[in-house]
Amino acid sequence: MKKYKFAIEIGGAYTKIYVKDFGIVLCEPTMVAAEANANGYEIIGLGQKAKDLMGKTGENVEIFSPIVNGKVSNYQYLKELLKYFFDKLEIRKKGENIIALVNCAISQEDKTVLKNLLNEVGFREVGLVPTVICSCVGAGKNISSTKTNMVINIGGANTDIAVINMNSIIKGATLGLGGKAVDVALTNSIAYNHGIVLGLGVSENLKMEIGSLYSNDTLNMEVTGIDVETKIPKSYIISSNDLLPILEPFYDEIVRSADVTITSLPPEISTDIINNGVLFVGGMSNITGLDNYLKREFKYPFKILPDAENISILGAGKLLDDPELLDRIIENF
């Protein structure tokens, strides 16, 4: 039986690290800033430092996430980013074991890539655990039971929809829908409808501060962007209603996919889900008005978990304290 000390959730938006007996020790943007020069590209910012550079650099600087749709899109840059995070924590990792939270639909090839990467960062043994199973554990559910649980994890890059029974996923899907897609859609919509180009960081702040699924919400926020016609800075007041046409279709698609998943299940399993309710987790579960929206649009009982953005990594932390259960989950996956 292997014992693990670390857990890491490398999201398309944020990376979180949990250390046994310490808790969550890091939460930073999964971002890299690289500047083009005669020798190629040089890293000028990692994590929060990279995000702080958004909109403040020349065209020769690229700011990006080395994780796209839950996959490692740039191996070397992600390796440097993870080394930076662990060096920053000043935690001894050589010879230690780590579990990594992953999408339920991850391919065998992507599993191998992630394991190799974490081995190169300095970890001996790498165990992969579905994020949705960690969410269930974090929510206090007995995942070893014959009773079925369903989790919808709406994250920064993807949405995982999974049905869990006896320590494993019996049906799951990963949708390419997440908070970052909303940020891009908001940026494009505001440029088209209001003639002002916002940085993605500004759109993210808009989503977090005034994003709402209430049609009568009166929240608004002043932002500064670049005028499409004059190319000079311009301030503009954006209201919650400006964001609603982007947010509603996003959640409509998630609800539609969840409904397809549930209706495809045997009656005994769907009965369990109705009795237990569907768990909503992930950062995009925090949007204002989601509870009211789901009562109107979702056919099944549900629960939006408190601390939804951290519930998965906290569940991973619980698994670090239960090596027998953790071993069974890793073996089943």
Side-chain angles (χ1 to χ4, degrees), residues 212-219 241 244:
S212 173
L213 290 168
Y214 290 119
S215 59
N216 61 348
D217 208 316
T218 59
L219 288 172
N241 283 335
L244 188 59

Side-chain angles (χ1 to χ4, degrees), residues 152 213-215 244 247-260 262-263 278 280 289-302 304:
I152 299 178
L213 290 168
Y214 290 119
S215 59
L244 188 59
L247 290 171
E248 270 197 336
F250 172 82
Y251 289 98
D252 287 347
E253 180 60 23
I254 291 169
V255 164
R256 187 198 67 79
S257 298
D259 187 56
V260 168
I262 294 172
T263 54
V278 178
F280 280 81
L290 180 59
D291 183 82
N292 184 70
Y293 166 86
L294 291 173
K295 287 176 181 176
R296 185 177 72 246
E297 302 292 341
F298 196 49
K299 301 175 184 177
Y300 308 96
F302 66 90
I304 302 171

Side-chain angles (χ1 to χ4, degrees), residues 28 31 34 38 85-86 102 127 151 162 169 192 207 240 248 251 261 275 279 285 287 319 331:
E28 280 204 38
M31 301 197 76
F85 286 154
F86 283 105
V102 295
V151 180
I169 295 171
Y192 180 80
K207 175 189 70 184
S240 290
E248 270 197 336
Y251 289 98
T261 299
N275 290 336
L279 302 178
S285 295
I287 202 78
L319 288 175
E331 287 173 7

Side-chain angles (χ1 to χ4, degrees), residues 97-329:
N97 299 334
I98 189 170
I99 59 171
L101 283 63
V102 295
N103 295 329
C104 58
I106 187 172
S107 69
Q108 193 61 49
E109 180 184 358
D110 290 328
K111 287 181 181 181
T112 301
V113 168
L114 186 56
K115 284 185 175 183
N116 289 343
L117 189 149
L118 286 166
N119 286 150
E120 290 185 23
V121 168
F123 291 97
R124 181 180 59 188
E125 192 76 31
V126 180
L128 303 183
V129 181
T131 302
V132 285
I133 287 185
C134 292
S135 303
C136 258
V137 174
K141 297 290 185 178
N142 178 10
I143 62 168
S144 300
S145 167
T146 56
K147 297 294 183 182
T148 305
N149 291 289
M150 184 171 180
V151 180
I152 299 178
N153 187 330
I154 315 174
N158 298 297
T159 294
D160 265 6
I161 298 174
V163 180
I164 298 165
N165 181 289
M166 297 290 288
N167 305 320
S168 62
I169 295 171
I170 59 175
K171 193 174 187 67
T174 298
L175 311 178
L177 295 171
K180 293 178 72 175
V182 172
D183 299 341
V184 172
L186 288 177
T187 300
N188 294 338
S189 175
I190 291 168
Y192 180 80
N193 292 306
H194 303 291
I196 180 171
V197 179
L198 303 178
L200 286 176
V202 177
S203 294
E204 182 185 15
N205 288 338
L206 273 173
K207 175 189 70 184
M208 295 171 64
E209 296 295 329
I210 66 168
S212 173
L213 290 168
Y214 290 119
S215 59
N216 61 348
D217 208 316
T218 59
L219 288 172
N220 60 71
M221 181 176 171
E222 185 176 10
V223 295
T224 301
I226 301 298
D227 188 284
V228 171
E229 294 182 357
T230 66
K231 309 300 181 186
I232 62 174
K234 176 182 177 181
S235 294
Y236 197 89
I237 294 177
I238 303 294
S239 71
S240 290
N241 283 335
D242 293 320
L243 277 56
L244 188 59
I246 301 298
L247 290 171
E248 270 197 336
F250 172 82
Y251 289 98
D252 287 347
E253 180 60 23
I254 291 169
V255 164
R256 187 198 67 79
S257 298
D259 187 56
V260 168
T261 299
I262 294 172
T263 54
S264 69
L265 296 169
E268 295 83 1
I269 293 178
S270 54
T271 299
D272 274 354
I273 291 171
I274 291 170
N275 290 336
N276 292 334
V278 178
L279 302 178
F280 280 81
V281 302
M284 287 297 288
S285 295
N286 288 326
I287 202 78
T288 299
L290 180 59
D291 183 82
N292 184 70
Y293 166 86
L294 291 173
K295 287 176 181 176
R296 185 177 72 246
E297 302 292 341
F298 196 49
K299 301 175 184 177
Y300 308 96
F302 66 90
K303 183 178 182 181
I304 302 171
L305 294 181
D307 204 13
E309 68 274 22
N310 291 321
I311 199 73
S312 299
I313 193 69
L314 291 172
K318 289 183 179 181
L319 288 175
L320 294 178
D321 291 325
D322 192 343
E324 289 186 10
L325 175 58
L326 183 54
D327 261 2
R328 290 199 296 272
I329 293 169

Side-chain angles (χ1 to χ4, degrees), residues 7-82:
I8 187 167
E9 183 177 13
I10 312 170
Y14 287 88
T15 292
K16 297 169 186 176
I17 297 173
Y18 189 106
V19 180
K20 191 176 185 298
D21 300 327
F22 288 91
I24 300 173
V25 295
L26 181 134
C27 177
E28 280 204 38
T30 312
M31 301 197 76
V32 175
E35 183 175 26
N37 57 35
N39 299 317
Y41 280 88
E42 177 187 359
I43 293 175
I44 61 171
L46 295 165
Q48 188 61 51
K49 291 181 180 178
K51 186 173 184 178
D52 290 343
L53 289 172
M54 290 181 69
K56 300 176 182 178
T57 64
E59 294 181 356
N60 62 328
V61 175
E62 290 190 35
I63 301 174
F64 59 93
S65 173
I67 290 280
V68 176
N69 294 330
K71 296 184 177 184
V72 179
S73 63
N74 193 303
Y75 190 97
Q76 194 58 40
Y77 279 121
L78 183 56
K79 180 179 171 181
E80 293 301 320
L81 181 60
L82 296 183

